[in-house]
Amino acid sequence: MGTRYLESLFNPGSIVIVGASERATNLGGMVLRNLMSGGFPGDLMVINRNDYETVHGVKCFHKVSKMPISPDLAIICTPPETVPRMVRQLGEAGVKTAIVMTGGMSRAHSKTGQPLMYSVRDAGREYGIRILGPNTIGLMVPSRSMNATYAHMGALPGKVAFVGQSGTIASSIIDWAFARGVGFSHFLTLGDGMDIGHDDLIDYLAQDPSCRAILLHIENIPDPRRFVSAVRVASRTKPVIAVKSGRVPESEWMPVKLPMGISRTDPIYDAVLRRAGVLRVDGLGQMFDALESLTRMRPVRREELVIMANGVGPGVLSVDRLSALGGELASLSNDTIEALAKLMPSYWTRKNPIDLGYDASPTLYADTLRVLAKDPNVSNVLVMYAPSLTEDSLHIADSVVQASKGTRLNIFTCWLGQSTVLDARDEFYRVGIPSFFSPEKAVTAFMQHVNHQRVQRLLRETPESFTDHYLDRSTARKIVMKAHRSGRNHLSNSEARAVIQDYGLRTVNTLYCDDVDGVLETFQVERRPIDITLIHERGCHPFMEEQSGRGRYKATIQGLNSENAIIDSCRVLLEEYRAHYPSSGFLGFAVQRTYQHLGGIAFSVGITRDPVFGPLVVCGAAGASVNVRTDRQIALPPLNMVLAKELLRRTYMYRLLREYSLQPEEDIRAVCETLVTLSQIVIDIPHIRGLEILPLLFSRDGAVAVDVAIDLADKPGRPIIQPYPRELEEWLVLPKSGRKVIVRPVLAEDEPTHRDFHHQQSPESIRYRFFQYRKHFSHEDVAQMVQIDYDREMVFIANAQREEGVGEETLGTVRGWTDADNLQCEFAVMVQDKLAGEGLGFSLMQKLIDYCRNRGTVEMIGNVLPDNRPMLALAKRLGFDAKYNIEEDVIDLRLQLNEPQKDWQRERLKGR
C-alpha cells in the first residue's frame, strides 16, 4: 500500500479516541491516560455514545459527526461488531488514518460469515483510510511525546524503531529495554495487519533520519514481494534485524501447506530474509545484542577474532561458541608473540586465546591491546575480565578505553559477573564500546555482525556472466505449454529430459521400452551393461521418493550384463511397483548404459513452489541424506553465479565436494551453473510448479542429470524478486556513427564496463551527474549502481561493441528511482562525452519516461546544475517544466507522466 498518510499516523496534530471512558479497565481510557501523561502536544478529543461532557478532562462528543474538526488520527477502542461502521463514519468525516486496538476480530464474524477484520479492511479501502491493526498495542513516538498505546509504561527516546506483531511481546520489550537504557524512535505492533504492513512501515522508516536501525518481530509475511523490495532499500542505509517466531510446525499459529520437497516453512523465511539483507536472530535477547554490535562495533575488515582474558575458563567458553557458530581464531604473528612474551609470565601459552593471568593489571590489559594493534593479522579483539581481589574492574575498564582510542582495532568487551562490574559496563556504554554479560553473548553478537556484513557483501558482489539472455528456448516452452493445454499436471520422463536439455543441461542418454521384450532387444543392440528404471505415472512427479519413504521402494537396478539378469530384474521392479503403487499407471522401462566414469557426490537439485513465496530453488544431498541431515537448502530465484555458490555453500554436500571430489572447483562450478539454469527455467516457463534432478552426478565434462521429473501448475508462478526484464531490450542505430547499440536494463555482471564508463568521463560530466568532482568509483559504489531490483529502481544502459578491442562498452546510462507509492520517479542520465549530437541522451530519457508512464508513475522529477546547458536543453525538448531552486542553487525539473487519480496523490504533489 505504500507510505500514503503514514505521516498522519506518526506525527498527528490531533487525535480522537473512540470509545474512551473513565472506567479503570476501559481500553480507550488507558490510551487516553497514556497520551496525556506522555505530554502529547496536539489536540485530543473523545467519541463516546454516552452523554459525557469530558473524559479525563478531554472534551467528549456523542457522535463522529459532532466533531468540530477532522482529526489526523483516530484510535478505535469499541466492541468488535461496531468497528466496521465506525471506520465508515470516520471516513465520511474526512479522517485518513486510524489505529484499531479492538481485539478478537479474527474470531468474530460479520453477517456475510467472514471475520470482522476483513470488514474493517474493506471499509478502510472504501474510504481511503489507512488502518493499523486490528488487535494492535498501538504506537509510540517518544521524541514527539506520543504514547498512543495501552502499555504499562512508556519508552525512552532513541534511534531504534521496533515493529512487532504481538502486543504481549511488545509490552515485555518496553519493560526490558527501559531497564537497559535502550530507547526507541518508533515503537508499534501490527496486530492482524489488515492494511498497514511491515513493508509500508519499513518504507517510511527508511526515509526517517531519526531512525538509525529497524527491529522486526515477524510471525508471517503476507506480501513477500513488497516486503523484500522495501527491506532491500532500507538495509542499504541502516541495519535491519529480525526475529521470526513460529519456526517449527508445533509453534505455527496458522499452519500452512508445505511445498513439495520442503519439510518446514522456516528455511523459506531464512532464504527470504537473507536475500533481503536482513540479519536474522534467534530471539529477543539476541536481537538487542545484535543491535549493540551493529550500531557500536566498527566494520569488520577481517573475520578472525582474538580473545584475551584474565583466566583460561572465559577464553575456552568463547572459543567453543566461536567454533559452533563457524567463526575462526586469528593467528598471531611471530613478532606479536615475542612482544607479548615480554609482558607475560614465562609459562603463558604463546597463542590465541591470550591468558593474561588472574592478577592481570590495567597496564597489562592496555599494553596487550597496543601490541595487538601492530599485528596486521588482528582486526577484532574480545576483551574479558572476571572479578578478582587484586584489581578493580573499573580501573581495568578505563585502561581498555584509553588503549582503544585511536586504534584501528574493533574492540568489544565482556565483564563477567554482575554486582561489582556494573560501573565498568556503564563506562563502556558511555564511550560507545559494546559490552556483553557473558562470553557466549559476546561471541554470538560478534558473529551476527560478521554474518550481517557477509549478507551485505553478498548483495554487492559482482557475479561472473553465465546465463545467455539471447538464446532461444522456445522448444522447452512449447513442450510445457502443449502438456498444459492438454490438461496434464506433469511431463513424461522423456519430455522432462528434453526441457532441461534445451537449456543446455546434460542428461544420461535414455531409451524407452514398453515391456521386458523391448528391454532385451535394447540390450542386444547395446551389448554392454545397462541400468533399468521402471516408469509409472506417480513416479513422473518430483520429490515423490521422499513422499513414498526412502529405501522402501526400488525403482532402478544397475549394472545388468545378461539377459537372465535383465528378466529377473524387470520382474523384481514390477513386483515393487505393484506393491507400492498399484493404482499408478505403468508407462514402461527406461534403459541407460551403465557409466563407470559417472559418479561422485550425488546431489538433489530442483524447483518447488510455495503458495505465498512463489518459486524456490532447492539444493542438497540425494538419497536419505536429505531427511537425515536436513540438508536441503533454499534460495529465491533469480540466481546468478554468486548467489548459486552461496546456496551451495550452505549444504552439507558442499563440504564433501570440497574434500572428496577429484576436481572440486570444476564440480562446484557445474552445480552452480545447474542451479542458475534451473532458476532461469522457472522464470522463462512459469507454469512449471516443481522440477527435480535426482541424482545430479559428475563426469569429466561436468554435471550430468541421471533422472528428472517436472510438475505443472494450473496458473503461472511469479518470483517474489523481479527477474531481469528481457522484454525491455531494444536496438537502435546512432545516426552519425552508424553504431548498433542495445538499450537494455542493467545487469549485475555489467559492473566492469559500468566502472570503465564512469572513469572515462570528463571531470565536468562527472560534476554535472553527481554535483561534485569525483576521481574514483569503488567496487561498492558501482555495485550499488548495477545491482537493482527492477522494481523501485530501473537503470537502462546503452551498450555497443568496442570500436577497438573485443567485448562491449557502455555508451550511456539513465537511472530512475521511484518512491514506495509509485508517485514520483527521480532520474539521472549520462552519456559518453564523445557522443554529443548522436541523440543517445534523448533516446535513454524517452525509454525511461515510457517505462515509468506505463507502470503508472504520476510524475518524473530531477535536479540539474544551472550551468548544465545540454541537460536543460534536453529537458526542454522532452517537455519538462523547469524552475530555479534558490535554496539548493539547482534547477528543479518536473514532467507529469499520468494524471493523479487519488486525492492523496494530488495533496502530496501539491505539498511538494
Side-chain angles (χ1 to χ4, degrees):
M1 295 294 292
T3 60
R4 174 173 55 92
Y5 295 135
L6 291 192
E7 186 63 24
S8 296
L9 176 71
F10 288 108
N11 190 24
S14 55
I15 300 176
V16 60
I17 300 95
V18 183
S21 75
E22 294 186 1
R23 184 163 46 88
T25 57
N26 176 265
L27 179 61
M30 298 178 196
V31 177
L32 179 58
R33 291 196 298 272
N34 276 343
L35 281 166
M36 296 173 67
S37 63
F40 177 67
D43 297 326
L44 294 174
M45 296 179 288
V46 171
I47 301 292
N48 193 307
R49 63 183 180 180
N50 296 316
D51 293 327
Y52 299 135
E53 287 290 329
T54 62
V55 174
H56 294 304
V58 174
K59 183 67 176 175
C60 180
F61 300 93
H62 181 61
K63 296 180 179 179
V64 171
S65 59
K66 300 296 184 181
M67 292 188 303
I69 62 171
S70 177
D72 295 327
L73 174 65
I75 301 175
I76 302 174
C77 305
T78 60
E81 63 276 5
T82 67
V83 175
R85 182 176 71 253
M86 189 57 62
V87 171
R88 294 188 183 91
Q89 292 176 5
L90 290 166
E92 291 171 354
V95 175
K96 296 302 182 185
T97 312
I99 299 176
V100 179
M101 293 190 173
T102 306
M105 303 193 71
S106 61
R107 296 181 293 273
H109 292 75
S110 65
K111 294 179 181 179
T112 62
Q114 69 175 354
L116 277 171
M117 62 183 184
Y118 294 107
S119 300
V120 172
R121 178 200 62 190
D122 296 342
R125 289 177 178 176
E126 181 181 353
Y127 287 92
I129 299 179
R130 301 305 309 273
I131 295 174
L132 178 66
N135 195 28
T136 171
I137 195 175
L139 165 70
M140 293 186 196
V141 186
S143 63
R144 294 169 182 165
S145 302
M146 179 180 170
N147 179 4
T149 72
Y150 58 80
H152 65 295
M153 64 187 300
L156 296 172
K159 300 292 185 181
V160 180
F162 175 82
V163 180
Q165 288 195 264
S166 166
T168 52
I169 288 179
S171 292
S172 64
I173 287 176
I174 295 171
D175 203 308
W176 183 87
F178 188 88
R180 290 190 66 172
V182 176
F184 295 94
S185 61
H186 309 77
F187 190 98
L188 70 158
T189 65
L190 297 176
D192 294 323
M194 297 312 298
D195 173 34
I196 296 174
H198 280 110
D199 46 287
D200 305 315
L201 297 169
I202 292 168
D203 278 328
Y204 180 89
L205 296 170
Q207 303 170 43
D208 192 331
S210 70
C211 170
R212 301 283 181 84
I214 302 174
L215 308 181
L216 304 176
H217 169 226
I218 298 170
E219 292 177 353
N220 56 64
I221 304 176
D223 190 345
R225 186 170 290 108
R226 274 193 50 80
F227 175 85
V228 170
S229 180
V231 174
R232 283 179 65 135
V233 173
S235 66
R236 286 183 174 183
T237 57
K238 55 191 71 177
V240 182
I241 305 170
V243 170
K244 165 64 176 70
S245 54
R247 303 190 67 159
V248 296
E250 293 80 5
S251 64
E252 290 180 346
W253 182 252
M254 296 179 64
V256 296
K257 183 179 179 181
L258 294 169
M260 299 179 299
I262 305 296
S263 59
R264 296 184 299 126
T265 60
D266 193 62
I268 302 176
Y269 281 93
D270 219 27
V272 171
L273 295 174
R274 182 183 294 107
R275 189 70 177 268
V278 176
L279 172 61
R280 183 180 183 181
V281 294
D282 290 336
L284 299 175
Q286 280 195 16
M287 172 183 281
F288 285 94
D289 287 339
L291 177 66
E292 178 89 352
S293 65
L294 292 185
T295 56
R296 290 175 175 267
M297 278 189 192
R298 298 178 181 180
V300 175
R301 294 184 298 107
R302 298 173 63 101
E303 296 183 354
E304 299 85 0
L305 178 64
V306 170
I307 299 168
M308 53 182 281
N310 62 334
V312 175
V316 172
L317 289 174
S318 302
V319 174
D320 286 344
R321 188 60 177 163
L322 184 68
S323 177
L325 296 175
E328 295 182 5
L329 287 172
S331 297
L332 303 178
S333 68
N334 291 331
D335 290 343
T336 298
I337 293 174
E338 294 304 321
L340 290 176
K342 297 176 181 178
L343 306 174
M344 303 289 182
S346 59
Y347 52 80
W348 86 288
T349 59
R350 302 179 67 87
K351 66 178 183 179
N352 181 20
I354 302 170
D355 175 16
L356 301 175
Y358 177 76
D359 58 350
S361 66
T363 302
L364 180 56
Y365 269 88
D367 290 344
T368 302
L369 286 173
R370 294 188 182 100
V371 170
L372 293 174
K374 298 176 182 178
D375 191 333
N377 297 330
V378 177
S379 177
N380 313 290
V381 182
L382 168 58
V383 183
M384 292 191 288
Y385 169 80
S388 72
L389 280 172
T390 59
E391 298 294 340
D392 180 76
S393 66
L394 184 57
H395 290 165
I396 300 283
D398 286 337
S399 71
V400 172
V401 169
Q402 294 303 317
S404 68
K405 292 180 179 179
T407 181
R408 60 175 180 80
L409 295 177
N410 178 31
I411 296 173
F412 58 109
T413 67
C414 171
W415 257 227
L416 288 85
Q418 185 68 17
S419 59
T420 63
V421 298
L422 292 177
D423 290 343
R425 288 182 188 150
D426 289 342
E427 176 66 11
F428 288 132
Y429 183 82
R430 185 185 65 81
V431 299
I433 294 177
S435 187
F436 302 92
F437 286 73
S438 69
E440 295 85 357
K441 280 181 171 290
V443 172
T444 299
F446 168 72
M447 287 306 299
Q448 287 167 343
H449 191 39
V450 170
N451 290 333
H452 182 258
Q453 288 200 187
R454 286 175 181 172
V455 169
Q456 291 296 317
R457 190 165 57 244
L458 182 70
L459 297 178
R460 294 192 300 267
E461 281 194 34
T462 302
E464 58 182 303
S465 181
F466 168 66
T467 303
D468 190 337
H469 296 279
Y470 307 110
L471 292 180
D472 180 17
R473 305 301 189 190
S474 58
T475 300
R477 193 175 293 107
K478 288 176 182 177
I479 292 172
V480 172
M481 295 314 297
K482 181 180 178 180
H484 175 70
R485 285 191 295 268
S486 67
R488 291 159 51 197
N489 65 355
H490 68 277
L491 299 185
S492 68
N493 190 275
S494 60
E495 290 171 330
R497 290 177 184 277
V499 167
I500 67 171
Q501 285 173 344
D502 194 42
Y503 275 80
L505 296 181
R506 297 169 60 232
T507 65
V508 176
N509 187 41
T510 304
L511 301 173
Y512 296 94
C513 306
D514 295 330
D515 50 29
V516 178
D517 292 338
V519 176
L520 290 171
E521 291 176 7
T522 301
F523 174 69
Q524 291 168 0
V525 173
E526 292 289 330
R527 283 300 171 187
R528 59 184 298 169
I530 61 173
D531 302 337
I532 304 175
T533 301
L534 187 145
I535 304 174
H536 58 95
E537 288 184 354
R538 286 194 64 187
C540 292
H541 294 270
F543 309 107
M544 283 305 300
E545 187 176 341
E546 297 166 39
Q547 298 175 35
S548 63
R550 295 183 178 277
R552 288 177 289 194
Y553 172 62
K554 192 174 187 65
T556 301
I557 298 180
Q558 299 175 322
L560 303 175
N561 57 7
S562 71
E563 292 185 358
N564 289 336
I566 290 171
I567 294 171
D568 290 342
S569 296
C570 288
R571 176 181 53 78
V572 170
L573 292 176
L574 285 167
E575 289 173 354
E576 285 278 308
Y577 152 68
R578 290 169 185 143
H580 288 88
Y581 298 101
S583 60
S584 178
F586 174 73
L587 300 177
F589 296 97
V591 180
Q592 299 171 339
R593 291 181 177 179
T594 299
Y595 288 92
Q596 299 296 327
H597 64 279
L598 189 64
I601 310 298
F603 277 83
S604 166
V605 297
I607 299 290
T608 188
R609 185 194 295 187
D610 183 84
V612 175
F613 297 98
L616 306 168
V617 181
V618 297
C619 175
S625 305
V626 171
N627 285 338
V628 173
R629 299 194 181 99
T630 316
D631 191 46
R632 179 160 289 149
Q633 300 296 317
I634 300 171
L636 303 176
L639 295 182
N640 55 36
M641 291 295 283
V642 169
L643 295 171
K645 191 167 187 179
E646 188 274 334
L647 168 60
L648 177 60
R649 278 175 175 161
R650 285 187 273 124
T651 67
Y652 173 79
M653 302 303 288
Y654 174 77
R655 282 173 281 174
L656 295 182
L657 205 60
R658 295 285 303 178
E659 292 177 14
Y660 297 108
S661 172
L662 295 177
Q663 44 183 20
E665 294 303 325
E666 292 81 354
D667 288 351
I668 287 170
R669 179 178 177 82
V671 177
C672 293
E673 290 178 351
T674 303
L675 293 170
V676 173
T677 301
L678 294 179
S679 165
Q680 192 62 44
I681 288 175
V682 79
I683 290 169
D684 293 345
I685 315 175
H687 278 90
I688 291 179
R689 183 179 64 176
L691 185 158
E692 183 184 24
I693 295 175
L694 181 71
L696 183 75
L697 296 176
F698 302 91
S699 70
R700 289 186 296 269
D701 299 321
V704 181
V706 176
D707 199 8
V708 60
I710 294 178
D711 251 353
L712 305 181
D714 294 334
K715 296 181 179 179
R718 181 184 172 196
I720 66 171
I721 296 177
Q722 176 71 25
Y724 175 76
R726 193 183 310 173
E727 67 278 4
L728 295 176
E729 297 175 349
E730 66 174 289
W731 291 88
L732 57 87
V733 177
L734 299 182
K736 289 186 177 181
S737 62
R739 296 182 72 180
K740 190 177 181 181
V741 176
I742 183 171
V743 177
R744 60 168 174 81
V746 73
L747 287 160
E749 293 91 328
D750 290 317
E751 187 204 332
T753 57
H754 213 71
R755 186 171 57 249
D756 291 343
F757 168 71
H758 282 81
H759 286 155
Q760 291 168 4
Q761 295 297 96
S762 67
E764 202 65 12
S765 293
I766 293 295
R767 184 179 71 88
Y768 284 155
R769 167 62 180 85
F770 296 98
F771 289 29
Q772 62 180 335
Y773 291 110
R774 293 184 62 175
K775 294 183 177 180
H776 176 69
F777 292 86
S778 68
H779 160 70
E780 288 76 15
D781 294 333
V782 184
Q784 191 161 330
M785 294 179 190
V786 299
Q787 296 186 14
I788 63 172
D789 62 1
Y790 306 115
D791 182 15
R792 303 185 188 198
E793 190 174 6
M794 176 56 72
V795 178
F796 293 109
I797 61 172
N799 274 19
Q801 290 297 315
R802 296 183 184 274
E803 292 181 306
E804 297 180 3
V806 297
E808 287 188 345
E809 65 174 330
T810 297
L811 307 182
T813 176
V814 64
R815 180 180 305 270
W817 300 268
T818 306
D819 61 37
D821 301 305
N822 197 26
L823 185 65
Q824 288 183 319
C825 172
E826 184 176 357
F827 77 89
V829 62
M830 185 166 64
V831 299
Q832 282 189 8
D833 297 325
K834 63 183 181 182
L835 295 178
E838 291 277 20
L840 184 58
F842 179 86
S843 298
L844 288 170
M845 281 296 300
Q846 193 62 58
K847 178 81 171 177
L848 183 64
I849 289 169
D850 293 343
Y851 167 78
C852 292
R853 183 174 283 133
N854 290 335
R855 73 190 301 264
T857 309
V858 177
E859 185 179 65
M860 182 172 286
I861 61 173
N863 302 123
V864 179
L865 292 175
D867 61 338
N868 189 353
R869 292 186 179 84
M871 184 64 232
L872 292 173
L874 174 60
K876 183 177 181 180
R877 184 181 170 194
L878 290 165
F880 279 86
D881 294 326
K883 183 179 180 181
Y884 179 63
N885 184 330
I886 191 171
E887 293 182 0
E888 302 291 337
D889 190 26
V890 295
I891 306 297
D892 292 334
L893 300 179
R894 294 182 182 273
L895 175 67
Q896 183 170 313
L897 304 177
N898 290 288
E899 193 69 31
Q901 301 297 314
K902 305 288 185 180
D903 290 340
W904 69 267
Q905 293 177 326
R906 287 184 280 270
E907 290 173 12
R908 191 180 295 182
L909 289 175
K910 188 183 300 182
R912 294 180 179 180

